[in-house]
Amino acid sequence: MNPTGYPQGHALLIGVANYQQISRLPAAILNDVNDVAATLSSPDHCGYPPANVVTLLDANATRTAVLKRLDELATRAGPDDTACVFFSGHGGIVGSPGNEDSVLLTVDSDLADIENTSINSNELAAALAQIKAKRLLVFIDACHAGGAAISKSLTDDKGHELKSGYSQNTFAKLAVGSGRALMASCRADELSSVFDGARNSVFTTALLAGLRGAADKSASGFIKVFDLFNYVSEEVPKLIPDDQHPIFKADNLEVNFAVALSQGGKKSPYSPEIMLTVQEELPWSVLEKILVELYPFGPRDQEVWSRAGGDLSRLQFHSTGQAAWHAALRTLKQGGGGSNINFGSLLSAAKEDFSNHPQLAMLQTS
C-alpha cells in the first residue's frame, strides 16, 4: 500500500471578491481559494480526498450557504479527522471602542443591515465548536489592501460605512477548544497585502509554499501546525518587510499535530529528526508514534491488528486513534491482544503496507 493519501483531511474554503453591495476585492482572493483547494487535494502535496475539499466562491458564498457548509463539515469530519476552514474576503468590526467584535462578510452582506446579513463571531465560533475533529485549523485572510480604496473602511453606494478588519477578541474566540488553532494573515492594525498583478495575496503565497512542502523542513512527510505557522510567519515579512505579520492563536494546543501530507507523504531517510528519534527512543515508543501516524483510526484501521495476528475483541474501545494505539501496545507488551500477535508481527504488517517508510525500515522485528 502506498501512503499517498490523507483520507482524514476535510476542508471548507470560502472566498469572496465580487461583493454584491460592498467594495470589491482583487481577483487574487478567488485564486487563493482555488489554489489552496488544489494543493490540499493534490496527491503530490497534501493528499486530501478531492470530495472532502469544498469551495464556496463569490455568488455561492452567501450567509446561508456558508453556515450550511460549516454544518455539513461538522457532520462529515469525525473525531479522528483533521478539518481546515479557510476564508478570504472582507471582515468588519462592529461595537464600541474597547468592546469591539467582528463579523465575517458574505457575498450578500448589506451594510445597511449588517446584523442580519453577516456572520458574527458568536455564530462562527458556535459553528466551529460543532466540528468534532480533534484537529481544527482556521485560516483567515482578511483586511485586504489592494484594489478599491478599502484599507480602513468598507463602503457601499448608499453612504454606509464599516470599519474593515478583525478584532483580537474575535481571533481568540475562534481558537477556543482543545486541538483548535487559528492563523490570520495580519495583526488587527495591519493590512493583508495583495501586490498588483500577483496571483495570490502575500499571506496565501507563503501558505501555499508551506503546504507544498517548504514547512516540512525535517522531511517528516507531514505538514504540522506549528511548523506551518513558523514558516508562514517568517516568510510573509520577507515579502513585505515591517508591514504585515501573521498571527497565531490557540487556546489549548500542546501537540504539533499534522494537518496534511507533505509532498504526498515523501520522507527523507536521512532526516536528522528521523535518525535521532530512532536512535534515542525505545523501539516500542517509536513504533507507537509511527502507527498513530500511519493508522490514525487505531488498530482497526486497514485491519492491521488482525492481519498481524491480533484479536480485536481483546482490545478496549477508545474514542481516538492515538488513545487506542497507546492502550493496544500497552496490552501487547503485557502479553495480551491475541495469541498470535507480537511486536515483530505488527511491525511486519506495517512494513508490508509502507515498505518505503524510513523509520519502519530502521526498526528490527526481533
Side-chain angles (χ1 to χ4, degrees):
M1 185 177 296
N2 192 5
T4 56
Y6 197 73
Q8 65 269 43
H10 295 261
L12 173 61
L13 314 174
I14 306 154
V16 185
N18 298 298
Y19 282 85
Q20 295 172 357
Q21 303 181 66
I22 306 175
S23 321
R24 294 190 173 190
L25 289 168
I29 276 63
L30 304 182
N31 294 337
D32 288 350
V33 170
N34 286 326
D35 292 349
V36 171
T39 300
L40 288 176
S41 59
S42 169
D44 296 323
H45 292 304
C46 296
Y48 282 36
N52 289 1
V53 180
V54 175
T55 61
L56 289 176
L57 296 174
D58 272 356
N60 292 320
T62 63
R63 168 185 154 82
T64 298
V66 170
L67 290 174
K68 178 182 178 181
R69 288 297 190 174
L70 283 168
D71 184 59
E72 289 178 354
L73 179 61
T75 299
R76 61 187 167 95
D80 289 317
D81 291 336
T82 298
C84 294
V85 176
F86 178 96
F87 174 75
S88 186
H90 280 314
I93 296 180
V94 297
S96 57
N99 192 33
E100 292 181 332
D101 202 358
S102 305
V103 292
L104 183 152
L105 299 179
T106 54
V107 70
D108 53 343
S109 292
D110 184 351
L111 298 185
D113 187 23
I114 202 67
E115 182 176 344
N116 296 310
T117 62
S118 63
I119 300 175
N120 64 49
S121 64
N122 288 331
E123 287 180 295
L124 185 54
L128 295 175
Q130 293 301 310
I131 298 173
K132 307 177 192 70
K134 296 292 179 64
R135 298 169 293 277
L136 172 64
L137 185 54
V138 179
F139 301 95
I140 293 183
D141 192 358
C143 199
H144 292 282
I150 47 112
S151 59
K152 290 300 181 184
S153 64
L154 307 175
T155 59
D156 58 17
D157 57 4
K158 303 171 187 174
H160 300 104
E161 188 171 313
L162 180 68
K163 186 178 179 182
S164 174
Y166 273 84
S167 70
Q168 292 289 343
N169 292 337
T170 297
F171 288 148
K173 187 184 299 183
L174 299 183
V176 169
S178 178
R180 274 97 201 292
L182 176 140
M183 193 178 302
S185 58
C186 60
R187 297 170 181 166
D189 59 347
E190 296 177 334
L191 302 178
S192 183
S193 298
V194 182
F195 293 136
D196 289 342
R199 177 169 178 82
N200 301 110
S201 72
V202 170
F203 172 75
T204 304
T205 295
L207 177 61
L208 285 167
L211 290 173
R212 290 168 180 166
D216 182 23
K217 294 182 179 179
S218 63
S220 68
F222 287 89
I223 302 297
K224 299 178 181 178
V225 60
F226 293 145
D227 301 338
L228 182 59
F229 175 69
N230 288 340
Y231 176 81
V232 172
S233 65
E234 290 173 0
E235 291 301 311
V236 167
K238 293 179 184 177
L239 297 172
I240 183 164
D242 303 323
D243 292 328
Q244 185 177 340
H245 302 84
I247 65 171
F248 183 80
K249 293 285 185 181
D251 178 48
N252 182 20
L253 193 64
E254 298 179 357
V255 178
N256 187 19
F257 62 78
V259 298
L261 295 183
S262 172
Q263 297 182 322
K266 186 184 298 182
K267 300 175 175 67
S268 169
Y270 305 108
S271 163
E273 178 187 77
I274 291 174
M275 295 296 290
L276 286 173
T277 297
V278 177
Q279 291 172 0
E280 294 179 1
E281 294 189 47
L282 294 174
W284 283 96
S285 299
V286 176
L287 182 62
E288 180 176 335
K289 289 183 178 180
I290 295 172
L291 293 175
V292 169
E293 168 194 306
L294 299 181
Y295 305 96
F297 300 110
R300 289 173 171 78
D301 198 339
Q302 301 176 35
E303 300 181 347
V304 63
W305 191 264
S306 299
R307 289 189 287 113
D311 183 352
L312 287 171
S313 68
R314 304 289 183 89
L315 303 181
Q316 293 182 341
F317 174 78
H318 291 271
S319 59
T320 69
Q322 183 173 3
W325 274 121
H326 182 72
L329 292 181
R330 183 176 58 198
T331 298
L332 183 59
K333 281 191 288 186
Q334 295 171 349
S339 59
N340 297 318
I341 188 172
N342 54 43
F343 181 96
S345 68
L346 185 56
L347 177 58
S348 294
K351 285 184 175 181
E352 288 178 9
D353 291 345
F354 300 93
S355 59
N356 295 322
H357 194 287
Q359 286 176 289
L360 283 175
M362 292 179 189
L363 286 174
Q364 301 297 317
T365 57
S366 59

